[in-house]
Amino acid sequence: ADFDLERTPPELLLNLKVVDDAGELLAEGRDAGELRERLGVEVNKSIGAVVDPQWNRDGLTTWDFGTLPESISISRGALTVSAYPALCDPRFLTNSFSPSAPESRTVATRLFDSKDKAFRYTKLGVIRLFNLANSRDLKTQARWLPQLDKLQTFSRAIADFDLTAALAETIGARALDLDDATSLPANEGEFNDLAKRGRERIGYATQDVAGWIVRFLENYQEARLAIEKRRGGAANAVAVDAASHLARLTEPRFYLTTPWKWLKEFPRYFKAISARFEKWQNGGAATDAAFAQELNAYWERYCKAFERNENAGIFDPELETFRWALEEYRVSLFAQKLGTAMKISAVRLEKQWE
């Protein structure tokens, strides 16, 4: 059998010590993952305390800060660490998305403690700078989409969601198509080249988003009403679980943080919520409870791993794949007739986790 670290007595595990260049103890413990997480947080605090005018700028509306290097070195006492400059959408820094907030019309630069984190923030920053530069065209496209009045009514139930703004930003992100990008602009010239290609794709992106948003909101409305209908009744536990799932899918700015590959599947995920109630009503109460318990255990496992990675500044693409594989597994359990975007089972899910 494989060696099980979790069942190994603590006294048999190596005691790990991390020291700086002067030999001063930075951290100590027997869990390497916990040490990495703790040090990631400490390094992030150290980098966050650095006041570097070039990489702590707010209120930017153009790429006027020269080259964006992959990394720079900074010193904190006797410790020298690498810091990673990023172009940011400041709304994600302040968690303030009000259209009247000053940061809603600008971008910013910041330093981060990991290359992964800087890359993710820069991707959002590049999209934001493109959307700001092309806001008039993007908003015009959004306002001309069909059935807008009806869709506005459906969208009001989504927390912190402005339909026109969301459509414009989704069209812009789709036009740039950075989901699978392995590199991002490092200077103004590269950004301008990317922006030019993006402008040429706005029409195609609008078609994609127009076809998606109708199904998205119609199926969302159907799922929401199915949940509300069952609240307080025999299927209340199912309704509570389904409502929590629906809220996770539509958390604020989901349309910017979810890759299009999976965002376009949301109408099917919503349809599966409605189908779940039909299955429950037709004698599936016992299996529904068992499926919900299994899925919630997987979700808890994912959340713990995601939080560890966030604290350590790590982005794990396999963990993100697991997150959406779990969504497909949910469809296979509750609404198999809808089909899945990948071959999925509990065995395949466990293999993805490994």
Side-chain angles (χ1 to χ4, degrees):
D2 293 337
F3 190 66
D4 189 349
L5 284 175
E6 291 186 0
R7 299 179 62 182
T8 303
E11 63 270 15
L12 296 183
L13 294 173
L14 288 174
N15 187 47
L16 304 172
K17 296 183 178 181
V18 182
V19 299
D20 62 19
D21 291 341
E24 294 292 324
L25 183 67
L26 297 176
E28 180 179 7
R30 298 182 187 275
D31 187 325
E34 183 182 346
L35 281 177
R36 282 194 298 269
E37 180 180 337
R38 195 189 318 165
L39 287 169
V41 172
E42 292 304 314
V43 170
N44 190 35
K45 288 179 180 176
S46 178
I47 290 173
V50 173
V51 179
D52 185 322
Q54 183 176 8
W55 305 119
N56 194 37
R57 294 181 62 190
D58 294 307
L60 301 174
T61 56
T62 61
W63 191 301
D64 66 354
F65 45 87
T67 298
L68 190 69
E70 185 174 288
S71 66
I72 63 171
S73 295
I74 61 173
S75 297
R76 298 295 293 169
L79 183 66
T80 299
V81 297
S82 293
Y84 302 87
L87 174 66
C88 303
D89 181 338
R91 300 174 302 171
F92 285 94
L93 298 174
T94 63
N95 202 32
S96 173
F97 290 84
S98 169
S100 61
E103 59 265 29
S104 69
R105 298 179 295 277
T106 64
V107 292
T109 58
R110 290 292 189 275
L111 291 175
F112 290 98
D113 61 312
S114 79
K115 183 178 179 180
D116 282 348
K117 190 177 290 186
F119 187 87
R120 283 182 289 150
Y121 270 93
T122 297
K123 185 182 290 188
L124 290 169
V126 167
I127 292 170
R128 186 59 180 159
L129 188 57
F130 173 80
N131 286 349
L132 289 170
N134 298 279
S135 61
R136 180 176 297 179
D137 191 10
L138 293 171
K139 288 178 181 177
T140 298
Q141 297 289 345
R143 291 186 181 116
W144 278 99
L145 290 181
Q147 305 181 53
L148 195 59
D149 288 343
K150 181 182 79 171
L151 299 180
Q152 287 279 13
T153 301
F154 291 167
S155 72
R156 292 192 185 106
I158 302 177
D160 198 10
F161 183 82
D162 179 281
L163 178 59
T164 303
L167 285 170
E169 294 203 76
T170 306
I171 291 169
R174 184 73 190 119
L176 288 183
D177 194 20
L178 296 178
D179 287 346
D180 297 323
T182 56
S183 63
L184 296 169
N187 55 56
E188 184 180 14
E190 291 178 1
F191 173 76
N192 289 340
D193 289 343
L194 176 67
K196 181 177 181 295
R197 292 194 296 272
R199 283 191 294 272
E200 292 169 351
R201 283 179 44 85
I202 286 177
Y204 297 106
T206 301
Q207 293 176 26
D208 279 350
V209 174
W212 164 80
I213 193 61
V214 174
R215 293 179 296 108
F216 173 93
L217 284 171
E218 287 181 344
N219 291 1
Y220 172 84
Q221 176 76 348
E222 181 183 324
R224 188 183 69 81
L225 293 177
I227 291 169
E228 294 306 314
K229 182 180 178 181
R230 272 78 175 188
R231 283 191 186 276
N236 185 64
V238 182
V240 170
D241 185 68
S244 176
H245 174 225
L246 189 64
R248 283 202 302 266
L249 287 172
T250 55
E251 63 184 8
R253 258 51 63 188
F254 66 90
Y255 49 88
L256 288 177
T257 57
T258 305
W260 177 256
K261 175 182 179 180
W262 300 113
L263 188 62
K264 66 184 178 67
E265 301 296 340
F266 275 36
R268 182 167 51 87
Y269 299 157
F270 298 154
K271 199 76 175 175
I273 292 175
S274 302
R276 177 182 179 182
F277 287 106
E278 295 173 12
K279 188 173 183 178
W280 182 91
Q281 191 168 343
N282 292 325
T287 55
D288 185 281
F291 290 160
Q293 184 176 13
E294 180 185 9
L295 289 163
N296 288 334
Y298 276 128
W299 180 252
E300 185 177 351
R301 189 195 300 186
Y302 162 79
C303 288
K304 287 180 179 178
F306 180 82
E307 184 177 3
R308 284 197 304 270
N309 286 352
E310 281 292 292
N311 288 336
I314 297 169
F315 173 71
D316 182 357
E318 295 301 325
L319 184 63
E320 175 155 314
T321 299
F322 177 87
R323 187 263 176 274
W324 298 109
L326 180 56
E327 209 61 52
E328 294 297 325
Y329 186 50
R330 180 182 292 272
V331 173
S332 76
L333 294 178
F334 292 130
Q336 190 175 24
K337 63 183 181 181
L338 297 179
T340 57
M342 59 169 68
K343 291 183 178 179
I344 193 65
S345 64
V347 173
R348 289 178 184 271
L349 205 55
E350 289 291 346
K351 187 173 181 61
Q352 176 63 40
W353 181 259
E354 295 172 3

